[in-house]
Amino acid sequence: MSALCYAGFINPPTGKDEAEDLIKANSSRVKTEVKELCARELLRIGQDTTLRHLIKEKAEK
């Protein structure tokens, strides 16, 4: 990778490489969005009488 491509992750005032922080923040945001999407879809499917059978109920302990 050339220094010119990588330079975008360097914070000029501090000189700190922020690539890892940016990747972690993006990963966390994507995980949160996927969890929210799954929850919304499970709710939607559970409320649809034609699709409800696709959701397996949790076993009682």
Side-chain angles (χ1 to χ4, degrees), residues 6 32 37 42 47 54 56 59:
Y6 190 67
T32 299
L37 175 66
L42 284 171
Q47 293 175 342
L54 299 173
K56 185 177 180 179

Side-chain angles (χ1 to χ4, degrees), residues 6-17:
Y6 190 67
F9 292 110
I10 304 297
N11 184 338
T14 63
K16 182 182 177 208
D17 179 359

Side-chain angles (χ1 to χ4, degrees), residues 2-26:
S2 73
L4 292 176
C5 288
Y6 190 67
F9 292 110
I10 304 297
N11 184 338
T14 63
K16 182 182 177 208
D17 179 359
E18 296 182 343
E20 187 174 344
D21 294 340
L22 182 62
I23 291 168
K24 285 180 181 179
N26 286 341

Side-chain angles (χ1 to χ4, degrees), residues 6-56:
Y6 190 67
F9 292 110
I10 304 297
N11 184 338
T14 63
K16 182 182 177 208
D17 179 359
E18 296 182 343
E20 187 174 344
D21 294 340
L22 182 62
I23 291 168
K24 285 180 181 179
N26 286 341
S27 176
S28 178
R29 189 191 86 246
V30 168
K31 286 178 184 179
T32 299
E33 289 176 2
V34 168
K35 287 178 184 179
E36 290 171 359
L37 175 66
C38 289
R40 284 194 313 267
E41 283 300 295
L42 284 171
L43 181 63
R44 182 186 67 81
I45 291 169
Q47 293 175 342
D48 187 322
T49 57
T50 60
L51 300 175
R52 189 176 296 150
H53 70 280
L54 299 173
I55 297 177
K56 185 177 180 179

